[in-house]
Amino acid sequence: MTGFYRDQGQLCVDGVSLTDIASTFGTPCYVYSAAKMAASYQAIAEVFLSPGRRIHYAMKANANLAVLKLFQRLGAHVDLVSIGEYHRALAAGFTPDQMVFSGVGKTGDELREAIIGGIGQINAESAAEVDHIIALAKETGVMPSVALRINPDVAAGGHAKISTGGSDTKFGIPGTEAEAIYRRMTDSQVIRASGLAVHIGSQIMNLNAFATAWQYMRDLADRLRSQGYLVPSLDLGGGIGVDYSDGSTADLAAFADTVETVFGGSDYHLAIEPGRLLVAEAGCLLTRVIYVKDGEDKRFIIVDGAMNDLIRPTLYESFHRIEAVGDHPAHSIPADIVGPVCETGDYLGLGREMPSLKTGDLVAVMSAGAYGAVMRSNYNSRPLASEVMVINGTPHRISKPQQISDLLAADIIPSAIADFPASAPQE
Ligand SMILES: *Cc1c(COP(=O)(O)O)cnc(C)c1O
């Protein structure tokens, strides 16, 4: 079996029981299935890839080096959004020409380093950024490939905070301004205008939104070509959705059909940038029950995983399936699964049908492979949850466990604090 499944009532991953993983590695702990990540990549590769087409893994979804190394071995390219991610991608074995650099606020230092390093493509998002890149190309004597990210004014995505294609968001350039900026790019002679890009949001299940945005981009690209500009490639963005209620994905065959409908018969090189699709279902956050507390008509299951480990429920009101790892008898009262952090917003799930659990039992928060571990924090001075990847039936640690001493060692007490006269402590 690939990914997560039950065997004799016990939740397992790729032949390993989650109970065993919790005993060996402790909780809270992210557990990933390498086989499931590979299967998700193969599924989209099968329907989308052909000569002239590329899949760039949007590494912000899960940027652990082991995850990156896996996708690098599978032949993926990457999409990155900071120079930190650039260094991670390099460390995982990607070459700069396999990288696309996206993002609305790339700094001069980030751009300079990426250009000197030979980055494959920069997706520029404003006239100011294009001017900045042109200046850097002159300064460095290196000619970067630059695509223009356009804003097609298509609002799509699973939540307002991850919808990026509307004209009222900070992303991209309106089509009306794109022509003039593309001309500036081409006329500069120091950068290679490599085409257009869009990314309308994340967690998109409705393929019509893609079709509308891509058609908008295609029309603009055709118009630029008819005026004599070179427009070799189009970057269609990421955002392919995953249904967290059952772990199914948007229909990939229909996705590929949509690509065909809009771009069939053209000679544009095409790229997509899936993040969530490739990793969401391949991971869970494994937690242990600390206490069970019964209220009037509600039960609170207090676990050792919290909003600092997985902030998606709090930040995006996102739903994650929550499953007991063991086989427990049913319980009739709905439960809130909450963490130890001192905020009412610290929950992993609300009003769930959960079996009868007690202190020490294990609970897995599913579909946590994307935008989970990458958003961990040390809030409440909690060390980061560890990460384990199951490879060929064997669990491996993929990040060093963080100690409380690591947190303390990161802070500095300036000696100038001693300028404040010390008072006698309170009684
Ligand atoms: C976040 C992002 C992606 C990936 O989005 P998913 O919903 O994870 O597929 C792709 N491209 C860009 C530019 C992004 O910012």
Side-chain angles (χ1 to χ4, degrees):
M1 288 287 294
T2 296
F4 297 90
Y5 60 95
R6 281 196 187 271
D7 184 13
Q8 295 169 17
Q10 303 293 311
L11 195 58
C12 299
V13 55
D14 294 355
V16 189
S17 96
L18 287 176
T19 305
D20 289 349
I21 291 179
S23 314
T24 309
F25 299 96
T27 54
C29 176
Y30 277 95
V31 182
Y32 305 119
S33 157
K36 178 70 182 171
M37 288 183 186
S40 299
Y41 178 78
Q42 300 300 358
I44 185 70
E46 203 163 290
V47 297
F48 176 77
L49 276 187
S50 62
R53 292 191 178 184
R54 287 176 181 168
I55 299 173
H56 290 257
Y57 168 52
M59 61 180 283
K60 73 175 192 279
N62 188 326
N64 184 287
L65 291 181
V67 173
L68 295 178
K69 189 75 209 172
L70 174 66
F71 287 121
Q72 190 265 341
R73 287 190 67 83
L74 294 172
H77 289 202
V78 275
D79 174 76
L80 48 94
V81 293
S82 75
I83 209 69
E85 288 196 344
Y86 171 77
H87 282 282
R88 280 185 175 272
L90 281 180
F94 290 98
T95 52
D97 61 293
Q98 298 173 326
M99 303 178 193
V100 169
F101 194 174
S102 299
V104 72
K106 309 176 201 78
T107 67
D109 286 346
E110 289 182 307
L111 287 168
R112 185 181 294 104
E113 189 172 349
I115 290 168
I116 292 172
I119 193 125
Q121 180 171 300
I122 300 169
N123 288 354
E125 299 212 19
S126 61
E129 186 185 354
V130 167
D131 288 343
H132 201 158
I133 296 170
I134 290 173
L136 286 166
K138 289 179 180 158
E139 174 196 313
T140 59
V142 180
M143 188 177 211
S145 289
V146 182
L148 205 52
R149 174 164 172 187
I150 55 167
N151 186 317
D153 196 15
V154 175
H159 187 270
K161 287 178 187 164
I162 54 173
S163 176
T164 57
S167 59
D168 54 348
T169 69
K170 67 182 176 185
F171 297 99
I173 292 165
T176 47
E177 293 169 33
E179 255 175 72
I181 299 174
Y182 205 84
R183 180 178 319 122
R184 189 138 97 234
M185 285 166 44
T186 305
D187 292 349
S188 79
Q189 310 273 341
V190 295
I191 65 179
R192 195 173 294 109
S194 57
L196 302 175
V198 292
H199 172 69
I200 55 174
S202 196
Q203 193 54 329
I204 299 166
M205 304 301 284
N206 174 5
L207 299 173
N208 290 330
F210 285 123
T212 309
W214 295 343
Q215 190 62 52
Y216 182 94
M217 178 166 65
R218 163 113 206 231
D219 292 345
L220 180 57
D222 286 352
R223 213 153 56 234
L224 290 168
R225 278 185 165 184
S226 72
Q227 293 167 22
Y229 295 107
L230 294 178
V231 187
S233 59
L234 301 176
D235 181 339
L236 317 187
I240 305 170
V242 172
D243 184 342
Y244 283 38
S245 70
D246 63 6
S248 65
T249 70
D251 184 339
L252 298 185
F255 176 86
D257 286 347
T258 307
V259 173
E260 221 38 57
T261 305
V262 180
F263 301 102
S266 76
D267 66 348
Y268 292 107
H269 294 275
L270 301 178
I272 54 171
E273 305 168 341
R276 185 191 312 273
L277 174 76
L278 302 187
V279 289
E281 282 308 306
C284 79
L285 176 64
L286 184 58
T287 71
R288 201 180 280 283
V289 177
I290 308 175
Y291 301 113
V292 175
K293 179 157 104 169
D294 281 317
E296 292 261 293
D297 49 9
K298 199 195 246 184
R299 159 167 278 204
F300 293 97
I301 299 173
I302 304 162
V303 299
D304 62 3
M307 66 186 281
N308 73 296
D309 303 306
L310 179 65
I311 202 169
R312 301 192 71 261
T314 307
L315 186 61
Y316 308 120
E317 285 122 28
S318 58
F319 174 93
H320 287 257
R321 300 184 311 285
I322 300 184
E323 299 193 18
V325 169
D327 195 5
H328 304 276
H331 186 78
S332 57
I333 299 170
D336 287 0
I337 296 87
V338 301
V341 165
C342 299
E343 287 199 25
T344 305
D346 177 30
Y347 61 83
L348 298 168
L350 300 177
R352 302 296 180 82
E353 304 290 329
M354 294 295 292
S356 179
L357 293 172
K358 57 181 189 329
T359 298
D361 288 339
L362 292 167
V363 165
V365 185
M366 309 309 290
S367 311
Y371 306 105
V374 280
M375 291 198 196
R376 289 169 299 172
S377 82
N378 290 125
Y379 188 40
N380 279 214
S381 289
R382 291 165 51 84
L384 297 184
S386 49
E387 292 172 286
V388 168
M389 178 185 271
V390 180
I391 306 169
N392 273 333
T394 306
H396 300 266
R397 233 186 234 299
I398 60 166
S399 52
K400 285 193 186 135
Q402 200 176 34
Q403 309 298 330
I404 289 172
S405 55
D406 298 327
L407 307 189
L408 272 55
D411 287 5
I412 297 166
I413 304 179
S415 56
I417 294 279
D419 293 351
F420 285 86
S423 302
Q426 297 174 28
E427 303 236 321

